[in-house]
């Protein structure tokens, strides 16, 4: 699958811009604040139904416009489809595929896989455990669509348990309801633990090789979860025991303190925590290794060729590492922003003018 073209109207700093993309490497160049990252954001929005930036969706509408349009054309083995997104102030966003409204955001998942390296992705290394869990879950979901339902089921049961703790702890059947909910939560959670451990092991194997080639350093990944069992039934029983041990704390705070929603993916560089001890450059390269490993995993398991969005990755890398990354992604469609042009002669150059328009 490749992205053929994008048309943006009233989106971010763009009044009106149309961009054609090539199947291989596309380099978006231009000065600071010309809107290079906004182009990547529009593609990501078309693939996922949301932005990779924080903030309100209304903020994406040009300051003197009331409506923003994103129109993205994709081609999958000769089948051309158009994704249209309309953002209007004080209105719910509208997403159409081939002029037909989608029923749910997940309908976009079937069109194409996308991998990003944007500033917000550094949260995977630098910030709380939820960012690392979400990264791992994103990898699993993109390979195994059923995993999305499993995560959704867990969240529903977790919500029910938290409601019980908050509202019904003095009711007659509270204990019986909690026991039943704990069993269900443990059964679903056990599947998630097994999935996460399996895919984390695969991600580590690939990322270790990539990171060694890039830096000469060692990267290790660990799944931080208190369960010691390796079989499904063992994990279920341990999970239930963990919920029982957390019972008094849960009652006190009114929410569930034990479970897979508390787990972490620990990233070590040369035997030390990347979050605490790694430099900015080391953290950046570690994330690049993980993203390239994600790319390889998707290609191996799905035989798919994800679209790659890279935002200003050249600024802190030497030429050897730039060359390694370029070689790794050469068989995929990539869209890369830069203020300076570092590119093979075969790449397609897209220059954004200073006024943010390209009519």
């Amino acid at each position: 699958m490749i992205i053929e073209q994008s048309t943006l109207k009233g989106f971010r700093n763009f009044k009106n811009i149309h961009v054609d993309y090539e199947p291989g490497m596309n380099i978006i160049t231009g000065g600071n604040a010309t809107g290079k990252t906004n182009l990547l954001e529009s593609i990501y929005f078309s693939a996922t139904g949301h932005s990779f930036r924080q903030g309100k969706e209304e903020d994406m509408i040009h300051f003197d416009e009331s409506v923003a349009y994103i129109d993205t054309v994709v081609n999958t083995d000769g089948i051309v489809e158009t994704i249209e997104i309309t953002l209007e102030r004080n209105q719910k966003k509208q997403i159409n595929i081939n002029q037909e409204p989608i029923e749910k955001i997940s309908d976009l998942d079937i069109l194409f896989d996308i991998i990003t390296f944007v500033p917000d992705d550094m949260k995977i290394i630098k910030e709380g455990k939820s960012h690392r869990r979400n990264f791992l879950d994103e990898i699993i979901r993109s390979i195994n669509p059923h995993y999305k339902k499993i995560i959704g089921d867990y969240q529903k049961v977790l919500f029910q348990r938290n409601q019980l703790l908050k509202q019904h702890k003095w009711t007659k059947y509270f204990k019986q309801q909690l026991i039943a909910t704990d069993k269900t939560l443990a059964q679903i959670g056990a599947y998630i633990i097994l999935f996460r451990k399996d895919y984390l092991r695969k991600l580590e194997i690939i990322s270790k090789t990539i990171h060694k080639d890039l830096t000469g350093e060692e990267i290790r990944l660990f799944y931080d979860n208190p369960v010691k069992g390796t079989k499904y039934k063992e994990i279920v029983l341990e999970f239930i025991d963990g919920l029982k041990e957390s019972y008094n704390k849960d009652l006190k705070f009114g929410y569930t303190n034990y479970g897979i929603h508390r787990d972490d993916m620990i990233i070590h560089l040369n035997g030390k925590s990347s979050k605490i001890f790694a430099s900015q450059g080391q953290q950046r390269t570690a994330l690049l290794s993980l993203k390239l490993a994600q790319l390889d995993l998707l290609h191996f398991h799905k035989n798919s060729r994800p679209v790659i969005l890279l935002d200003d990755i050249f600024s802190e890398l030497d030429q050897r590492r730039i060359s390694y990354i370029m070689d790794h992604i050469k068989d995929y469609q990539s869209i890369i922003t830069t203020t300076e042009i570092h590119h093979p002669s075969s790449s397609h150059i897209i220059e954004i003018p200073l006024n943010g328009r390209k009519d």
Side-chain angles (χ1 to χ4, degrees):
M1 200 282 319
I2 62 168
I3 297 168
E4 290 192 338
Q5 58 185 250
S6 291
T7 302
L8 310 178
K9 296 180 180 180
F11 181 79
R12 294 290 190 187
N13 67 313
F14 296 115
K15 283 276 196 169
N16 189 355
I17 186 171
H18 176 86
V19 180
D20 293 310
Y21 297 102
E22 296 293 326
M25 190 173 295
N26 298 265
I27 305 290
I28 301 174
T29 186
N32 292 325
T34 53
K36 299 184 298 297
T37 301
N38 297 342
L39 283 178
L40 300 189
E41 182 183 25
S42 71
I43 294 168
Y44 186 84
F45 205 133
S46 298
T48 65
H50 59 87
S51 173
F52 51 60
R53 288 165 159 160
Q54 291 185 334
K56 300 176 182 177
E57 290 182 349
E58 190 173 298
D59 295 340
M60 301 181 202
I61 304 172
H62 193 285
F63 67 90
D64 62 359
E65 299 288 342
S66 58
V67 184
Y69 299 97
I70 304 171
D71 190 304
T72 305
V73 178
V74 300
N75 187 324
T76 306
D77 298 326
I79 299 173
V80 177
E81 295 177 288
T82 301
I83 305 164
E84 300 166 293
I85 300 175
T86 303
L87 300 173
E88 189 170 359
R89 299 191 192 279
N90 303 316
Q91 298 291 327
K92 186 178 179 181
K93 66 188 169 193
Q94 299 176 36
I95 304 178
N96 294 349
I97 298 177
N98 297 331
Q99 300 183 337
E100 292 292 329
I102 63 172
E103 293 184 6
K104 50 190 182 298
I105 296 295
S106 58
D107 290 345
L108 293 171
D109 294 345
I110 63 173
L111 289 185
F112 59 97
D113 294 312
I114 198 155
I115 292 176
T116 65
F117 186 90
V118 298
D120 264 22
D121 288 332
M122 288 301 297
K123 292 176 182 177
I124 295 169
I125 305 288
K126 291 182 170 185
E127 297 191 12
K129 58 178 73 173
S130 64
H131 298 286
R132 291 178 287 281
R133 281 198 308 271
N134 290 341
F135 172 63
L136 182 57
D137 286 342
E138 175 194 329
I139 292 173
I140 304 171
R141 276 195 302 267
S142 61
I143 295 170
N144 187 334
H146 183 59
Y147 185 73
K148 185 170 186 175
K149 182 180 184 303
I150 296 174
I151 288 287
D153 289 345
Y154 181 89
Q155 293 295 339
K156 288 176 185 176
V157 179
L158 180 64
F159 177 79
Q160 292 168 2
R161 189 177 193 273
N162 288 342
Q163 291 299 104
L164 272 175
L165 292 168
K166 291 173 184 175
Q167 300 174 7
H168 307 295
K169 59 184 177 183
W170 308 120
T171 60
K172 183 177 180 180
Y173 299 106
F174 168 70
K175 276 290 183 71
Q176 292 92 323
Q177 288 176 303
L178 196 67
I179 289 170
T181 304
D182 285 1
K183 182 179 178 181
T184 305
L185 198 68
Q187 289 171 336
I188 301 171
Y191 281 118
I192 293 170
I193 289 170
L194 289 171
F195 270 114
R196 285 179 176 174
K197 284 185 174 181
D198 180 40
Y199 280 93
L200 187 66
R201 179 182 59 83
K202 295 172 181 176
L203 186 69
E204 184 191 36
I205 291 171
I206 299 171
S207 61
K208 280 178 74 172
T209 300
I210 292 171
H211 198 71
K212 193 75 172 178
D213 291 342
L214 267 174
T215 67
E217 297 180 336
E218 182 185 52
I219 189 170
R220 294 292 310 277
L221 307 178
F222 304 94
Y223 185 46
D224 185 17
N225 174 279
V227 171
K228 306 301 180 188
T230 57
K231 306 293 185 183
Y232 175 75
K233 289 184 179 180
E234 296 173 349
I235 296 172
V236 170
L237 293 175
E238 278 193 66
F239 205 119
I240 292 173
D241 287 342
L243 290 169
K244 288 178 180 177
E245 289 176 13
S246 182
Y247 175 71
N248 289 331
K249 186 177 180 181
D250 293 352
L251 276 182
K252 179 180 178 181
F253 291 102
Y255 57 83
T256 306
N257 290 273
Y258 180 93
I260 59 97
H261 57 289
R262 299 285 182 178
D263 294 349
D264 197 358
M265 180 181 82
I266 305 295
I267 306 167
H268 277 187
L269 294 178
N270 300 325
K272 295 181 179 180
S273 168
S274 61
K275 180 179 177 179
I276 299 171
F277 296 103
S279 68
Q280 173 80 10
Q282 286 177 311
Q283 290 177 337
R284 188 177 175 86
T285 310
L287 181 60
L288 270 169
S289 297
L290 293 176
K291 292 287 186 169
L292 292 177
Q294 178 188 9
L295 177 68
D296 290 351
L297 266 179
L298 261 65
H299 181 58
F300 176 78
H301 282 281
K302 295 179 68 177
N303 195 29
S304 73
R305 296 196 175 275
V307 175
I308 305 163
L309 307 180
L310 303 176
D311 191 20
D312 194 26
I313 67 163
F314 301 134
S315 59
E316 297 181 27
L317 296 176
D318 58 36
Q319 188 56 51
R320 187 187 71 80
R321 294 179 188 184
I322 291 172
S323 297
Y324 180 91
I325 293 165
M326 292 300 199
D327 185 63
H328 204 94
I329 66 175
K330 65 184 179 183
D331 295 327
Y332 301 85
Q333 185 184 38
S334 58
I335 303 172
I336 304 168
T337 70
T338 181
T339 52
E340 300 177 10
I341 299 179
H342 302 259
H343 62 90
S345 58
S346 59
S347 59
H348 175 56
I349 307 299
I350 301 164
E351 187 169 358
I352 306 300
L354 286 174
N355 64 2
R357 295 173 62 94
K358 190 172 184 287
D359 297 312

